[in-house]
Every structure is written in C-alpha cells, then in structure tokens.
Amino acid sequence: MHNTEVYILSGFLGSGKTTLLKRLLENERLLGRKTAVMMNELGKVSIDSEVARDEDIALKELLGGCICCSIQDKLEAQLQGLLINEKPEVIYIETTGAAHPVEVLDAILSPLFADQFTIKGIVTTVDGLRWRDRTAVGPQLQQLLLEQVRHADFILINKMDELSESEQAKIIFEIQGINPVARCLFTNFSQVAIDELRKLTLSFDKKTSSSFSKKALNLTTFVYQFQGPISHVEFEEFLMDLPEMIYRIKGYVKFDASSKPYLFQYSYGMPFYMKEEMNLPLNLVLIGENIYWSESEAKLKKLENDFKIQTEK
C-alpha cells in the first residue's frame, strides 16, 4: 500500500510557519509530487490559505476551532476524503499557533487510516524575539512555547538578524536544553535547505524496529493491527502496566468473536469504551515519548494469541 508522507508545521502565531509552507510548496512543484495542504485557523476566515492556492494542490481549511479539540471530527473526515479522492503523495498540516503537538498528532492519527501515513516529523518555527522575551507573556503561553519546542523534530529559530550573538547563544542553549534531539537552525524568514527537512523521519511504522538509536527518539507513534478479538480483562491489565510516557491510545478493539468492535480511547491514564454498530478496521494507534514500541507490540500479540488458544479449547 502506498503511504502518504505527512509534515506537521507547528509554532506560535507569527513565528514563520506560513513562510516555511510557501517554501515547501515551491519545492514540491519542482519535484512534481501530488501535494495536499490542511490549514487550521482559530478565526472564521483564513488569511494564510492564499499561499496554497494552486490548481495542483488540494487545500482543506479547518476554520473556527483548534485542530486538536473542537474540529477533530471534521479533520478526520477531511483527511479520509483527501486519501480517497486526491491520493496525495505528501500532506502538509499547518496548525494554529495555539495547538499542542501531542494533541495534533492525536487528531491526525485516526485508527481508520493511520497505517496509510508516514509521519515525517514535526517542524516547529520559533520567533527568536518572542522566545527571548517570553517571560512577558502569561504562564500558559510560556508553557505552550516550551511544549512546541520540546516535541519538535526540527526547529527553525527566526529573526536571527534582530538578535545579538550573545542572545543567539543563550537561545540555542535554552532550546537544546529542552530538546537535545531536534536539529536546530537560526534563520531569517524560514530560509532553510529543504533537503534537510526531507531527511526527517519520525519513528512511525507498523514494523517498528527497536534497533534505532535512543538519540533518535522523541515523540513517536505506533499502529498495531489486530487480526481478531482479545480478552477484555487481559487488555485492562495491559493498560495498567503501560509506561507513563504513553500519552494517548485510540482505536477499535473486539472482545468477543461474534460482537461488533468498541471504539477505545485512552488519555492521561483514563480508558474510555464505546460500542460501535458496524465492523471497523481493528487498528490501535499509540502515541508516546521516548518509547520503544517492540515491547508493547509483543504484549498485544500475546493478547491475541492467548484469546485464540482459549477459544479453540
């Protein structure tokens, strides 16, 4: 099955995300790849979407809410529509500046189609001046700036020309202290060698290997595809044994060979089940930080095998 590459563009309002998107789209035209853009704005009218107006680019706008909360269902429907109708080779998702990277990944990775994506990474743009003066904003905004940096795979610090050498040194020291694994560049107007961004790979793979370097781990995702039902009791035991750094799980799980699956969601240690009325793909999407997924994969396989053995007796 052909996998669609996904780039998530994160960063606070006015930090250079749209300028970066322009550069990426110009590069896609040269490559001749089928490209789609999803833009998310908190207001009712999109100002930035003119940068993506092109007959060769499929554009979906998500207005009036944040990608990770009030419009999550709409996002899922639009992504599914893109995959079915446009079949893009690459999708760029430009998030609102108020979006948290974990929430955005969670919103994108629907169990209905998560296995069709290769998440290339989270590229975060930082306004160097805003970062320098961040103590002037409220604690919630400060925390959001930190989280956007912490979960990035590639960081562009803009407005380099307006910062002294000592300010640049201080900023890079602070940002690398928060996120030592991301590539970090000072730029003006998001000027970056696009080839460097193309090298990104978030470890998102159905056949996740545990052999990659620990340094390459940050925010990672994993899709497990169940072949059949499992024991509810054993699944609950699996959840109780999860590492703290697994933030989200969602998907469809069957607990009885004859019944319909349950929609399952797990967030902040709390599980939620809802019975579905139709058979859906039994995919389970997991999102975590610094997690080797081979252990979780082995446990889920064991759940399936145990149930199979019990029902065959």
Side-chain angles (χ1 to χ4, degrees), residues 5 50 61 72 83 96 149-150 168 174 178 218 280:
E5 291 182 2
E50 289 308 310
E61 295 172 274
Q72 187 161 337
L83 288 171
T96 160
V149 163
R150 181 180 158 207
Q168 287 179 27
E174 290 169 348
I178 295 161
N218 193 5
L280 291 154

Side-chain angles (χ1 to χ4, degrees), residues 42-289:
L42 282 171
K44 291 288 183 193
V45 180
S46 173
I47 299 156
D48 290 341
S49 57
E50 289 308 310
V51 305
R53 297 277 178 224
D54 188 302
E55 59 191 27
D56 298 325
I57 295 170
L59 173 67
K60 298 286 184 187
E61 295 172 274
L62 295 152
L63 303 176
C66 183
I67 209 165
C68 48
C69 38
S70 57
I71 54 172
Q72 187 161 337
D73 291 346
K74 192 193 289 185
L75 173 76
E76 189 173 301
Q78 291 201 352
L79 270 174
Q80 198 163 14
L82 270 180
L83 288 171
I84 293 166
N85 302 322
E86 307 291 342
K87 298 181 176 59
E89 293 169 81
V90 57
I91 300 174
Y92 291 98
I93 298 178
E94 185 189 340
T95 65
T96 160
H100 187 296
V102 176
E103 310 283 355
V104 173
L105 254 187
D106 184 42
I108 295 164
L109 293 175
S110 162
L112 293 173
F113 47 70
D115 56 332
Q116 295 175 50
F117 286 148
T118 297
I119 307 284
K120 291 288 284 180
I122 297 169
V123 183
T124 294
T125 52
V126 173
D127 179 326
L129 296 177
R130 186 186 287 277
W131 183 272
R132 182 195 68 188
D133 303 331
R134 67 189 182 283
T135 52
V137 301
Q140 280 184 304
L141 287 186
Q142 283 187 54
Q143 187 60 35
L144 180 61
L145 284 168
L146 294 177
E147 292 291 307
Q148 288 176 339
V149 163
R150 181 180 158 207
H151 293 299
D153 299 290
F154 201 107
I155 300 167
L156 298 182
I157 307 164
N158 276 309
K159 303 188 182 171
M160 179 176 77
D161 285 354
E162 297 177 56
L163 297 162
S164 67
E165 281 190 20
S166 63
E167 285 172 335
Q168 287 179 27
K170 185 172 186 286
I171 289 169
I172 204 88
F173 179 77
E174 290 169 348
I175 285 179
Q176 289 184 332
I178 295 161
N179 185 344
V181 300
R183 179 88 190 274
C184 209
L185 289 179
F186 273 104
T187 62
N188 292 307
F189 304 106
S190 296
Q191 287 171 324
V192 59
I194 300 299
D195 289 350
E196 293 300 308
L197 294 178
R198 299 277 179 239
K199 293 174 189 171
L200 278 174
T201 47
L202 194 93
S203 62
F204 170 80
D205 192 349
K206 288 186 289 179
K207 303 283 184 288
T208 304
S209 163
S210 57
S211 61
F212 53 82
S213 156
K214 184 87 174 164
K215 287 180 184 171
L217 281 174
N218 193 5
L219 202 58
T220 59
T221 67
F222 172 60
V223 179
Y224 186 82
Q225 294 181 312
F226 289 107
Q227 302 305 308
I230 56 173
S231 157
H232 197 158
V233 172
E234 287 185 23
F235 185 62
E236 286 286 334
E237 287 169 2
F238 163 78
L239 295 176
M240 285 191 280
D241 205 27
L242 283 175
E244 278 183 23
M245 300 306 274
I246 292 183
Y247 299 132
R248 298 277 195 282
I249 306 176
K250 61 181 179 181
Y252 298 102
V253 189
K254 262 191 181 185
F255 297 118
D256 178 347
S258 62
S259 72
K260 298 289 189 289
Y262 283 84
L263 168 66
F264 172 73
Q265 298 200 45
Y266 173 93
S267 182
Y268 303 107
M270 294 293 292
F272 168 80
Y273 300 91
M274 189 171 79
K275 189 77 180 277
E276 291 290 342
E277 295 306 313
M278 63 175 84
N279 279 312
L280 291 154
L282 300 176
N283 289 334
L284 199 65
V285 182
L286 300 91
I287 301 173
E289 187 178 2

